[in-house]
Amino acid sequence: MRACPTCGASNGSADDFCGNCGAYLGWSDTEPAPSTPPANTQAPPERLTAPPPAEPTPAQAAAAPATAPSPPTSSPPTPSPPTRPPGATPPAAAPVASPAPASPAPEASAQDPVLPVLPAKPVAPRPVVRPVAAPEEAVGAPCPACETPNLPGRRFCRRCAAPLHPEEKPAPLPWWRTVWPFRRRARASSGRVVRGLVILAVLLALCAGGLLLLPAGRALFEDTKDKMGKPKAVTPVAIAASAEIPRHPAKNTTDGLNNRYWGAPGPEASVTYTFSKPFRLVDLLITNGASKSPEEYARQGRALRVDLEVTTQDGDKHTKQVTLSDKAGSQTVSTGISDVKTVRLVLSSPAGLTKGRHLALAEVEFFQRS
């Protein structure tokens, strides 16, 4: 069995995690070794020694028996000298060492008497705490993570430490509940009616704004496309004028030549241009006077204002007053009208119109979005 190093709870020997706190039991594999009783630190009892014997009195010494004589010691046999051959020189005599004086024999020492010893104090061994063995076989609900069976009283799995009884998480809110003002949870007396009215008012305002801003938004979108696109010239298929001077017809305004013009007898004269198919009229280029040349420009009268009337394929008419500068050269007029079918120009506000002169319009060019 294993004891949890954190909370001390008992666990089976096959458990890897504590069932009470979920701590890892891998560090508590080794069982605690039984404690050994401590060594006796008390000093050994002192040994009682007997007092030295007193010297005998002269009367006691006389009464004591005489000491027995020591037995005679036998001396070893003397070796005989070796024989030498005839004619050999006798060896020199070796010096003889004097015998050492005999030492007196030591007296037998008396045997040490047996003295009394104080008994030692017994020391009881320290108690050893042994955890209660837990059953190895676990029968219960399986772990939701690793499907290992665990006992009913455990809160964490004995294999992976996963919670055996996890709390159920609330279902996620739909995306529209995360946007104000829907992200607030509905409670009793929380202003549900007021919030519903506010939402309804916002929806109505958005619808009204869409209806009002739809034309403006569409016009802005079309103007952006006009500026990003490249203009392309468009030629009308029919030209009709209310009045014209001989040798200066209205078709001279679309021939591409700046020294030929349309001559009108006076103000309020008009010219109408018809196109083969509807198109978006982006720009209108008008060259006022008799020519682009400054010398020829001032020889005839000029119209300083032109009333522009555009008719679409559906029959809708768009009117615009265009003010022209009294100078030679081309002048650009931005229109931005879709599904154009016909364009009518009415000359007014004449300048330089004297006796023998007439109003002159040199060139009119139309451009569509490519």
Side-chain angles (χ1 to χ4, degrees):
M1 58 161 293
R2 296 182 181 180
C4 177
T6 302
C7 64
S10 299
N11 299 271
S13 59
D15 297 348
D16 295 333
F17 296 90
C18 179
N20 184 45
C21 63
Y24 181 57
L25 302 177
W27 312 116
S28 60
D29 287 342
T30 57
E31 297 183 357
S35 60
T36 59
N40 188 7
T41 58
Q42 295 182 355
E46 297 183 358
R47 190 170 186 180
L48 298 180
T49 58
E55 296 181 358
T57 60
Q60 294 176 353
T67 306
S70 58
T73 56
S74 59
S75 58
T78 302
S80 60
T83 60
R84 64 176 180 272
T89 305
V96 178
S98 61
S103 59
E107 299 180 358
S109 61
Q111 186 177 4
D112 294 339
V114 177
L115 301 180
V117 180
L118 296 178
K121 184 179 180 179
V123 178
R126 296 181 62 182
V128 178
V129 179
R130 291 184 175 85
V132 180
E136 297 293 338
E137 295 294 335
V139 179
C143 173
C146 63
E147 299 183 356
T148 301
N150 294 270
L151 293 176
R154 296 182 64 94
R155 293 185 298 173
F156 298 91
C157 178
R158 61 193 182 101
R159 280 289 179 269
C160 63
L164 297 179
H165 307 286
E167 298 180 359
E168 295 183 0
K169 297 182 179 180
L173 297 176
W175 67 269
W176 57 270
R177 287 294 301 276
T178 61
V179 182
W180 186 89
F182 304 100
R183 62 185 177 187
R184 181 180 177 185
R185 293 183 179 274
R187 296 177 299 176
S189 303
S190 60
R192 181 183 302 177
V193 177
V194 177
R195 188 166 62 254
L197 294 178
V198 171
I199 295 173
L200 181 60
V202 170
L203 294 177
L204 293 177
L206 291 177
C207 293
L211 293 177
L212 295 176
L213 298 177
L214 182 59
R218 182 178 180 182
L220 179 62
F221 176 73
E222 294 293 341
D223 292 343
T224 304
K225 293 180 64 177
D226 294 343
K227 293 179 180 179
M228 294 181 63
K230 185 177 181 180
K232 180 180 179 182
V234 181
T235 303
V237 294
I239 303 173
S242 61
E244 57 187 16
I245 300 298
R247 294 183 299 175
H248 299 285
K251 65 180 181 178
N252 290 343
T253 58
T254 58
D255 60 359
L257 301 177
N258 295 326
N259 56 354
R260 298 172 62 179
Y261 61 90
W262 165 53
E268 303 302 328
S270 64
V271 59
T272 304
Y273 302 91
T274 305
F275 300 89
S276 60
K277 59 182 181 179
F279 69 100
R280 179 173 176 81
L281 181 61
V282 177
D283 294 325
L284 185 66
L285 194 63
I286 299 177
T287 304
N288 199 14
S291 176
K292 281 187 175 182
S293 174
E295 295 81 5
E296 298 293 334
Y297 174 79
R299 291 183 181 180
Q300 299 294 336
R302 289 87 56 193
L304 300 182
R305 192 184 73 183
V306 175
D307 296 333
L308 178 64
E309 181 180 328
V310 180
T311 305
T312 62
Q313 185 180 11
D314 299 335
D316 298 336
K317 292 186 178 182
H318 302 268
T319 58
K320 182 178 181 180
Q321 288 186 354
V322 180
T323 301
L324 302 177
S325 301
D326 193 9
K327 63 178 181 180
S330 301
Q331 302 180 40
T332 303
V333 179
S334 298
T335 56
I337 303 175
S338 301
D339 300 333
V340 174
K341 191 65 178 178
T342 61
V343 178
R344 181 170 177 263
L345 301 179
V346 181
L347 306 180
S348 59
S349 299
L353 184 59
T354 59
K355 187 178 181 180
R357 291 186 175 186
H358 48 267
L359 295 177
L361 186 62
E363 197 72 24
V364 179
E365 301 178 49
F366 304 92
F367 293 91
Q368 67 175 355
R369 184 173 63 196
S370 58

